[in-house]
Amino acid sequence: MSWQFERVAGPFAFTEGPAWDGAGVLFTDIPNSRIMRYDPSTGETAEARTGTQQANGLMFDQSGRLFACEGGGRRIALYDGERTVSIVDRYEGKRFNSPNDLAFDSAGRLWFTDPRYGAEDDLELTHQSVYRCDPADGGAWSLTRASFDTTKPNGLLVSPDCKTLYVAQSEYGEGRPRELRAYPILEDGSVGEYETLHNFYPHRGIDGMCLDSEGRIVATAGWEESGPGPMIYVFEPSGRVLETHPIEAKPTNCTWGGDDLQTLYVTAGGCLYRAETDLRGFLIYPSDGAVQQGYLL
């Protein structure tokens, strides 16, 4: 089945972080520090939140709480109604680089990437890593550095069985790795040595990803400047490419939506696109049977 992408919102400055709330799609307009919401029942797009400090990736936890990677604020934030709660903003006393993307696993742990794109004159950390946040008593979170071999980690996912962490290592420049990596998650939550599932070099690698109900990886990659162009890839967990679907603009991230989770929403070229697919998505929230009421400020 060939996926036909339809532009449903935009253009905006730079779109990222799509997240399905059960009835509509939230996505970030990064330079303008705001979250937009597309309502497929009306076709309208409205501003849902402002002052997000250049939030990038968005993700709901299993309870339907909205978390964000605030790149400008250099922290992970929880949006609790009109209130913003800072979850973590430092590692060993030093500010993060610019948190980019995040994922929850079925154990309730939050994983996020902390690369730096652009100017690096204000960095406090000497590494660009993946971190794991474990929920603790009283609403606190304990922070652990998960990766020690990434240089530009971007999108990430955790397999439904919590045994594999998928990371997009996407560093630009000659000889720099652009790979889809699979790290085994060990019993104590640490990760083992990674396996390279796909090498995109010398072209643009993966930005954002999501999972389908069979554990396959749906990824945004490629651009107009080289290679096969802007593309949505479907990978088996082994890394075998099952399908590729061209899209007209450089894609940044994706998520599932619709009552049956068979609609793929993609942020690309400052817009929001959608396509009906023959796959069924997997989301931590809303899960099958969840009340679909939409995100409320």
Side-chain angles (χ1 to χ4, degrees):
M1 175 181 177
S2 177
W3 299 354
Q4 302 300 315
F5 288 96
E6 169 195 12
R7 189 175 76 180
V8 295
F12 301 96
F14 190 93
T15 51
E16 248 281 9
W20 177 251
D21 67 11
V25 182
L26 300 175
F27 59 95
T28 52
D29 179 13
I30 297 176
N32 293 312
S33 289
R34 62 180 182 169
I35 296 174
M36 309 301 294
R37 184 178 186 274
Y38 169 70
D39 184 345
S41 69
T42 65
E44 299 296 321
T45 301
E47 193 174 80
R49 192 180 195 94
T50 59
T52 63
Q53 300 194 89
Q54 298 179 331
N56 188 330
L58 301 175
M59 185 67 64
F60 289 99
D61 71 358
Q62 292 166 312
S63 300
R65 300 183 300 170
L66 182 65
F67 290 74
C69 291
E70 290 192 345
R74 300 168 79 160
R75 66 179 181 175
I76 303 298
L78 163 63
Y79 298 144
D80 182 12
E82 296 183 359
R83 186 171 66 114
T84 300
V85 179
S86 182
I87 300 302
V88 287
D89 61 7
R90 282 172 169 78
Y91 176 70
E92 295 183 339
K94 297 179 180 180
R95 291 188 302 166
F96 293 128
N97 304 314
S98 47
N100 184 287
D101 207 354
L102 71 164
F104 280 94
D105 64 26
S106 56
R109 299 174 298 193
L110 187 162
W111 304 72
F112 69 94
T113 56
D114 185 39
R116 182 70 165 191
Y117 291 102
E120 297 188 359
D121 56 350
D122 63 346
L123 294 187
E124 298 180 11
L125 293 167
T126 59
H127 52 85
Q128 301 184 41
S129 305
V130 179
Y131 296 88
R132 190 190 78 243
C133 290
D134 293 16
D137 293 338
W141 297 78
S142 62
L143 178 69
T144 302
R145 182 180 174 189
S147 75
F148 294 82
D149 52 17
T150 51
T151 56
K152 276 288 188 297
N154 200 314
L156 79 170
L157 296 169
V158 181
S159 62
D161 61 7
C162 287
K163 292 184 177 180
T164 306
L165 172 69
Y166 300 107
V167 177
Q169 160 66 33
S170 299
E171 184 174 9
Y172 299 130
E174 186 175 352
R176 303 296 185 181
R178 298 162 208 173
E179 303 167 338
L180 172 59
R181 297 178 175 180
Y183 291 81
I185 299 175
L186 308 180
E187 289 294 327
D188 63 358
S190 64
V191 301
E193 185 175 349
Y194 72 85
E195 175 187 0
T196 299
L197 300 185
H198 190 86
N199 187 349
F200 289 85
Y201 188 84
H203 310 301
R204 178 178 180 256
I206 291 173
D207 197 334
M209 305 180 282
C210 60
L211 291 168
D212 81 350
S213 60
E214 300 299 319
R216 292 176 286 238
I217 303 154
V218 180
T220 61
W223 56 6
E224 300 89 336
E225 297 181 24
S226 66
M231 198 76 65
I232 307 301
Y233 289 78
V234 181
F235 294 95
E236 287 279 15
S238 65
R240 184 166 71 95
V241 178
L242 288 177
E243 303 173 17
T244 57
H245 300 278
I247 188 169
E248 65 182 10
K250 181 176 74 174
T252 57
N253 214 329
C254 56
T255 195
W256 299 100
D259 292 341
D260 54 6
L261 295 185
Q262 289 193 283
T263 304
L264 186 71
Y265 286 92
V266 179
T267 49
C271 300
L272 179 69
Y273 293 80
R274 71 178 175 193
E276 299 304 319
T277 78
D278 52 350
L279 305 181
R280 179 177 171 81
F282 170 82
L283 296 177
I284 291 290
Y285 176 89
S287 59
D288 289 345
V291 177
Q292 302 202 353
Q293 59 186 6
Y295 173 68
L296 301 177
L297 289 176

